[in-house]
Amino acid sequence: MVHVYNCHPFSSQQIVQVEQEPGLICCGGGALFVVATGGCKVDAYSVEKEGCPLICRFATMGTVKSIQHSKMGDYLVTIEEKNSATYLRAYTNWRHQAEGKARVGVRLLGHLLRGASVRGGVQMEIIEIPLSERPVAVACCSVTGDLVVGCESTLVLFALRRQNQQSLQSEQMLQSSWTSSQQSSSQSQGQIVNSNQNFLDFERSVILHLPNIKPKQVALCGRYVAVQAELEVLVLKLDTSSEPKTLEESSDTKTTDHLEDQADFQVLPRHQELLGDRAKDCDIPVSVEKTGLEDSAGHCTLSYVLFRRFTPDFFQGCSVEETQLHSLQLYPLFTRNQSESLEEPSCIFCFFSLPSAGYLYSLKGGVELLSAYQYPEKVLKAVLTDHLLHVITKSALQCFTVRCAAVAARLEDPYIDTTMKACPPCSLEVCALRMQLFIGLRSLCVYGRHVVLLSSADAEAPEEPERTPQRRGLSRKWTISSPKESSTAGHGWNLYVVDTVSPLTLYQEMLEYSQRYAETNPQAQSLRHLLSEAHLLLRSSLLQTSEQPQSIEEDSAPSLQTDPDGPAEKHTAGLSDRQDLEEALRQNCAELGDCFSRASQKDCHLALPYYRMSALSVTDIMARNRPLPSSPHSYGPGFLFYLKHYLFEEAEQIFSQEAADEVIDIFSQSEPSELVSVCASPSLIDISPARTLQILQHLEDTAGVSVPLTTTMATMMLRLDDLPQYTHLMERHAEMLLVYGFIEEPRLLLHGGGGGQRSLVRPTALTRQLAKSQPGLLVAAMVALHENNKVQLEQADHIFKELGCENCLQVDFWEATLMASSQETVIQELLFRVASVYIDRLTNTTSDTHTNKPQAPSRRRPLKSADDLINSCSHYGALYPWLTVLNPAHATSSQHQEALFKLQSLLCGPSLSVGSVMPLMERLPEETLWGFSLHLLCATREGQYDSSIGKLLDRCPQAIIAYANHQLQDKHMPLWWQKLLPELCDRTRAAADNSILLAALKETLVVVAMETSPTEFLELMPEDGTASYFLPHLLTCSQRHLWA
């Protein structure tokens, strides 16, 4: 479907004063090239100046049948006929004919002029390009300046080369080595004089054989080659590979076995469309012929990109012209994020046309049909540009919109098609903008904003007999129609240059056009479509204003047109134009946002990215979406989607009270169920609490009681400083239900945090109140939020620091998170943190209960005691029995004792890595008994039992048996008689009256007698020991051994 809008893309037209009837025209380099009918002369006119004055005129060597201009290199290439022979020639430095220089050099491909011709200065050159077959079509690459020539069964590619005389001096001297030394000397002198001159040349690079297709048109862009027959289009991609491929490997093995003796039948090809890798399944084999340059440039490999075949529609008659393809074009598009040195465009498009329909494909990033153009009448020629597609019929110039910018925008900006940015889809239906009537149009070419038309009033009868539906006398073979020769006795001809308006002007007209739809039906599909067309028009203009890769002619050919404006003025004007385009794009995004804000549920989400791209404030957008008093419709779903996303994504803009109350009114009317989330938004911090409380109370009466709603109402009471009513509302639900409510709406406690883990969060007024009145609920809520990935550990730490509770509630939060978390990394991090806190408390608090000074503020009592943690958290272990001996009751302050017990419990647990806290443990003194107990715990955890036994006997021998009974078990049992027994014997020998050591020795002998044999026991007895003391234990050991 093609939409039709009566816009005015054309601003003015002028007639080019041509002396003879034009036969061929082409544009490029700011010039219009005109070849007279049947003539051998080319006239170049300036299309960028008023009146299109003549630039220069030069003769060709034959009758021109086809002419093309190359942007890169600023050269012309022609197919000419002379004496029944066809030639391919290139014309370089043609602009120098404007200075009245008659010197013209003629040379063969690869042979540069020398001697007097070069010494005379830069001159126009005609390069003869020899071919083994008759050339049928030719095209230039707008990116590299390379040539592709279509012959009867081959495609020949020529690479553009730029060379100077200095680089070729040695080469030409070698070529002329057979001449005399005097000639060589004089020639080299002439070359040195002109060593700075640049010359263009061509180098045959690739030959492609296509035996099953007869080229009518060819196209080249970068590494893509397209060939068009009467009903077929084939696009190939050429690449270089380091691994050679033989001819048999690269050619298709399909043969033409089906072409047998079928003289009595007419074979009609079936319609086919093969995209991407499927295109290789077409029945057109292609082979690559080596040119001898593979060693330096790599071996050429090809891949199929696109194949399209059409079936002739014989309901239109027998003429092939009714279904013959034309206007083949490969069109590149560069994006702004490309540097000037890049030669590969971001996008490449392929366009071709039937007389009744045109087809636009995107080739890079996946082959895709973008648009199909259905023409209202037979089209003779079409030209694709950045902004528009121009087509001509016999009586009119028409222009259609294109989708190139939609493809380029998505390649340039990865945020398109997200909640951040949007762009109309590539599949958006095209539209026709204008039909401008002319008489007898024959040809069309486009340069920038200049559309050149050739019209000729034909005195012959119109071509109506083509459409006579004679079916019985169908010929078995199609008639190949050759281009008709123009009648010299025609009634008249004209050559027009039609200027298109600037994209900004056309956009303004589209915007005015759209207002008519907006006034009658704001939700009309045509309004959305027209605004989308305007959006793509602006995007393509912004792409066009970016710098493109520079062409070779800027270096090789001096411009003969003086520019009155300097580079600075041009740069300033370019910046101003770009700013105007960007402002227009923001305006268009606002209009599209308005359009999608009232759209159906299917497309309403697009209001969000378009409004974001408009750079409007949320209050401005709210003003644009206020329903009229007479309108039966309320707020659109797209606007509500945008507003919810804005409020819920932690926006930093603070609404005024008036705007905040309006937001509450919007949701109370449209989506009351979202009121709780809306009230929790940080943007509505200045909301009217009394007014909002009434709305929430009404919601509770209609929808029922819910925990988040009750908490929100309590927050409003808190803002009103009504603490009794606040307490009443908070006591409605159990603490666990309140925690679930905070999980459902975390912003009741936290504001910010929308940027990820490292973004800061802020406590709300409710959070500060809970820290004072219900710290346990606050800690439980924060743990629940952390476990449900609503808040990160660093963000929770920041909250407690903001509350001034980093030394109390923050530690309670860590301890509670240790109880709930199952993430190993979080557990290890928190174990280290709480151990550090316990050590700090032990070093910063005194162990004497009577020396607590009033200067240290009394800390809040922890929510969990050491016994609570031991009973409820697996990371805290039960205290070893021997620690009770080292921890005398009531010998320290309560805070000190609590920290000591928790740290001892952590060291007794299974999770804390002792090595991680050893550097911190060095701060604890070993002189105190509690400090000694911690160091002894660490040494025991590290397996240092020998030294621990000695230290314990030195400091607290009464705990040695409890220590041994707990620690010296299983594989450590031999330490009873290997370490402990000898130590006790030595120490009792030195202090025989020490009852503690004697009791410990007695207990040790009991254990040793139970674990050893009588022989081993005898060996362990000291030589100077009293037999009566050891004999009972030996007897016990012997009896046990006999029973065993």
mmCIF file of all heavy atoms in Angstrom, residues 759-780:
data_model
loop_
_atom_site.group_PDB
_atom_site.id
_atom_site.type_symbol
_atom_site.label_atom_id
_atom_site.label_comp_id
_atom_site.label_asym_id
_atom_site.label_seq_id
_atom_site.Cartn_x
_atom_site.Cartn_y
_atom_site.Cartn_z
ATOM 1 N N SER A 759 25.230 3.028 42.472
ATOM 2 C CA SER A 759 24.486 4.271 42.633
ATOM 3 C C SER A 759 24.023 4.410 44.080
ATOM 4 O O SER A 759 23.690 3.440 44.750
ATOM 5 C CB SER A 759 23.274 4.281 41.693
ATOM 6 O OG SER A 759 22.440 3.178 41.964
ATOM 7 N N LEU A 760 24.027 5.647 44.546
ATOM 8 C CA LEU A 760 23.701 5.906 45.940
ATOM 9 C C LEU A 760 22.200 5.880 46.160
ATOM 10 O O LEU A 760 21.415 6.208 45.279
ATOM 11 C CB LEU A 760 24.274 7.260 46.361
ATOM 12 C CG LEU A 760 25.810 7.379 46.339
ATOM 13 C CD1 LEU A 760 26.222 8.759 46.792
ATOM 14 C CD2 LEU A 760 26.435 6.313 47.230
ATOM 15 N N VAL A 761 21.841 5.494 47.366
ATOM 16 C CA VAL A 761 20.439 5.498 47.772
ATOM 17 C C VAL A 761 20.308 6.402 48.993
ATOM 18 O O VAL A 761 21.290 6.708 49.676
ATOM 19 C CB VAL A 761 19.944 4.070 48.098
ATOM 20 C CG1 VAL A 761 19.896 3.223 46.861
ATOM 21 C CG2 VAL A 761 20.824 3.418 49.155
ATOM 22 N N ARG A 762 19.078 6.825 49.229
ATOM 23 C CA ARG A 762 18.811 7.724 50.354
ATOM 24 C C ARG A 762 17.681 7.136 51.201
ATOM 25 O O ARG A 762 16.722 6.571 50.655
ATOM 26 C CB ARG A 762 18.400 9.107 49.848
ATOM 27 C CG ARG A 762 19.389 9.733 48.899
ATOM 28 C CD ARG A 762 18.910 11.120 48.474
ATOM 29 N NE ARG A 762 17.602 11.070 47.846
ATOM 30 C CZ ARG A 762 17.379 10.784 46.568
ATOM 31 N NH1 ARG A 762 18.408 10.514 45.780
ATOM 32 N NH2 ARG A 762 16.171 10.775 46.078
ATOM 33 N N PRO A 763 17.774 7.288 52.503
ATOM 34 C CA PRO A 763 16.665 6.805 53.341
ATOM 35 C C PRO A 763 15.485 7.769 53.276
ATOM 36 O O PRO A 763 15.651 8.988 53.140
ATOM 37 C CB PRO A 763 17.288 6.765 54.742
ATOM 38 C CG PRO A 763 18.382 7.789 54.700
ATOM 39 C CD PRO A 763 18.911 7.784 53.300
ATOM 40 N N THR A 764 14.301 7.222 53.366
ATOM 41 C CA THR A 764 13.096 8.036 53.403
ATOM 42 C C THR A 764 12.787 8.432 54.849
ATOM 43 O O THR A 764 13.438 7.988 55.804
ATOM 44 C CB THR A 764 11.922 7.268 52.788
ATOM 45 O OG1 THR A 764 11.658 6.119 53.608
ATOM 46 C CG2 THR A 764 12.244 6.811 51.376
ATOM 47 N N ALA A 765 11.759 9.274 54.980
ATOM 48 C CA ALA A 765 11.333 9.674 56.326
ATOM 49 C C ALA A 765 10.847 8.471 57.119
ATOM 50 O O ALA A 765 11.064 8.377 58.336
ATOM 51 C CB ALA A 765 10.236 10.733 56.222
ATOM 52 N N LEU A 766 10.210 7.532 56.440
ATOM 53 C CA LEU A 766 9.753 6.318 57.124
ATOM 54 C C LEU A 766 10.939 5.512 57.637
ATOM 55 O O LEU A 766 10.896 4.951 58.741
ATOM 56 C CB LEU A 766 8.894 5.487 56.169
ATOM 57 C CG LEU A 766 8.363 4.168 56.719
ATOM 58 C CD1 LEU A 766 7.470 4.394 57.939
ATOM 59 C CD2 LEU A 766 7.606 3.386 55.635
ATOM 60 N N THR A 767 12.018 5.443 56.855
ATOM 61 C CA THR A 767 13.200 4.707 57.280
ATOM 62 C C THR A 767 13.805 5.330 58.536
ATOM 63 O O THR A 767 14.196 4.618 59.475
ATOM 64 C CB THR A 767 14.246 4.699 56.145
ATOM 65 O OG1 THR A 767 13.634 4.217 54.950
ATOM 66 C CG2 THR A 767 15.423 3.810 56.500
ATOM 67 N N ARG A 768 13.869 6.638 58.575
ATOM 68 C CA ARG A 768 14.428 7.311 59.747
ATOM 69 C C ARG A 768 13.555 7.075 60.984
ATOM 70 O O ARG A 768 14.075 6.905 62.100
ATOM 71 C CB ARG A 768 14.561 8.809 59.460
ATOM 72 C CG ARG A 768 15.532 9.116 58.335
ATOM 73 C CD ARG A 768 15.714 10.610 58.138
ATOM 74 N NE ARG A 768 16.576 10.894 56.997
ATOM 75 C CZ ARG A 768 17.900 10.892 57.031
ATOM 76 N NH1 ARG A 768 18.520 10.620 58.179
ATOM 77 N NH2 ARG A 768 18.623 11.155 55.962
ATOM 78 N N GLN A 769 12.252 7.040 60.780
ATOM 79 C CA GLN A 769 11.363 6.795 61.913
ATOM 80 C C GLN A 769 11.500 5.363 62.417
ATOM 81 O O GLN A 769 11.505 5.111 63.641
ATOM 82 C CB GLN A 769 9.917 7.079 61.509
ATOM 83 C CG GLN A 769 8.892 6.849 62.603
ATOM 84 C CD GLN A 769 9.120 7.738 63.811
ATOM 85 O OE1 GLN A 769 9.617 8.860 63.687
ATOM 86 N NE2 GLN A 769 8.772 7.247 64.995
ATOM 87 N N LEU A 770 11.630 4.411 61.498
ATOM 88 C CA LEU A 770 11.802 3.015 61.912
ATOM 89 C C LEU A 770 13.120 2.826 62.659
ATOM 90 O O LEU A 770 13.197 2.002 63.572
ATOM 91 C CB LEU A 770 11.756 2.096 60.682
ATOM 92 C CG LEU A 770 10.404 1.941 59.993
ATOM 93 C CD1 LEU A 770 10.535 1.042 58.767
ATOM 94 C CD2 LEU A 770 9.372 1.356 60.943
ATOM 95 N N ALA A 771 14.170 3.549 62.247
ATOM 96 C CA ALA A 771 15.450 3.426 62.956
ATOM 97 C C ALA A 771 15.319 3.862 64.411
ATOM 98 O O ALA A 771 16.025 3.345 65.279
ATOM 99 C CB ALA A 771 16.511 4.255 62.244
ATOM 100 N N LYS A 772 14.392 4.783 64.668
ATOM 101 C CA LYS A 772 14.202 5.246 66.036
ATOM 102 C C LYS A 772 13.251 4.352 66.819
ATOM 103 O O LYS A 772 13.523 3.997 67.973
ATOM 104 C CB LYS A 772 13.651 6.675 66.019
ATOM 105 C CG LYS A 772 14.566 7.697 65.375
ATOM 106 C CD LYS A 772 13.886 9.060 65.317
ATOM 107 C CE LYS A 772 14.741 10.095 64.609
ATOM 108 N NZ LYS A 772 14.028 11.402 64.508
ATOM 109 N N SER A 773 12.140 3.983 66.194
ATOM 110 C CA SER A 773 11.082 3.299 66.939
ATOM 111 C C SER A 773 11.059 1.795 66.749
ATOM 112 O O SER A 773 10.724 1.058 67.679
ATOM 113 C CB SER A 773 9.716 3.883 66.539
ATOM 114 O OG SER A 773 9.500 3.726 65.141
ATOM 115 N N GLN A 774 11.399 1.300 65.556
ATOM 116 C CA GLN A 774 11.326 -0.145 65.283
ATOM 117 C C GLN A 774 12.580 -0.587 64.534
ATOM 118 O O GLN A 774 12.519 -0.960 63.360
ATOM 119 C CB GLN A 774 10.078 -0.460 64.456
ATOM 120 C CG GLN A 774 8.758 -0.213 65.180
ATOM 121 C CD GLN A 774 7.562 -0.455 64.273
ATOM 122 O OE1 GLN A 774 7.222 0.395 63.457
ATOM 123 N NE2 GLN A 774 6.941 -1.611 64.421
ATOM 124 N N PRO A 775 13.730 -0.567 65.223
ATOM 125 C CA PRO A 775 14.966 -0.943 64.518
ATOM 126 C C PRO A 775 14.967 -2.387 64.048
ATOM 127 O O PRO A 775 15.542 -2.692 63.002
ATOM 128 C CB PRO A 775 16.060 -0.688 65.558
ATOM 129 C CG PRO A 775 15.357 -0.736 66.885
ATOM 130 C CD PRO A 775 13.985 -0.206 66.639
ATOM 131 N N GLY A 776 14.338 -3.253 64.794
ATOM 132 C CA GLY A 776 14.293 -4.654 64.364
ATOM 133 C C GLY A 776 13.542 -4.815 63.049
ATOM 134 O O GLY A 776 13.940 -5.598 62.168
ATOM 135 N N LEU A 777 12.441 -4.077 62.878
ATOM 136 C CA LEU A 777 11.685 -4.129 61.621
ATOM 137 C C LEU A 777 12.523 -3.576 60.479
ATOM 138 O O LEU A 777 12.511 -4.130 59.364
ATOM 139 C CB LEU A 777 10.384 -3.332 61.778
ATOM 140 C CG LEU A 777 9.543 -3.161 60.510
ATOM 141 C CD1 LEU A 777 9.130 -4.514 59.949
ATOM 142 C CD2 LEU A 777 8.316 -2.293 60.800
ATOM 143 N N LEU A 778 13.251 -2.497 60.734
ATOM 144 C CA LEU A 778 14.089 -1.921 59.684
ATOM 145 C C LEU A 778 15.168 -2.902 59.246
ATOM 146 O O LEU A 778 15.400 -3.088 58.040
ATOM 147 C CB LEU A 778 14.725 -0.623 60.186
ATOM 148 C CG LEU A 778 15.693 0.059 59.217
ATOM 149 C CD1 LEU A 778 15.008 0.410 57.906
ATOM 150 C CD2 LEU A 778 16.315 1.295 59.864
ATOM 151 N N VAL A 779 15.831 -3.538 60.210
ATOM 152 C CA VAL A 779 16.882 -4.506 59.858
ATOM 153 C C VAL A 779 16.292 -5.684 59.102
ATOM 154 O O VAL A 779 16.839 -6.134 58.078
ATOM 155 C CB VAL A 779 17.624 -4.962 61.123
ATOM 156 C CG1 VAL A 779 18.546 -6.142 60.814
ATOM 157 C CG2 VAL A 779 18.428 -3.816 61.719
ATOM 158 N N ALA A 780 15.165 -6.199 59.552
ATOM 159 C CA ALA A 780 14.531 -7.323 58.853
ATOM 160 C C ALA A 780 14.130 -6.928 57.439
ATOM 161 O O ALA A 780 14.282 -7.716 56.483
ATOM 162 C CB ALA A 780 13.321 -7.798 59.650
#
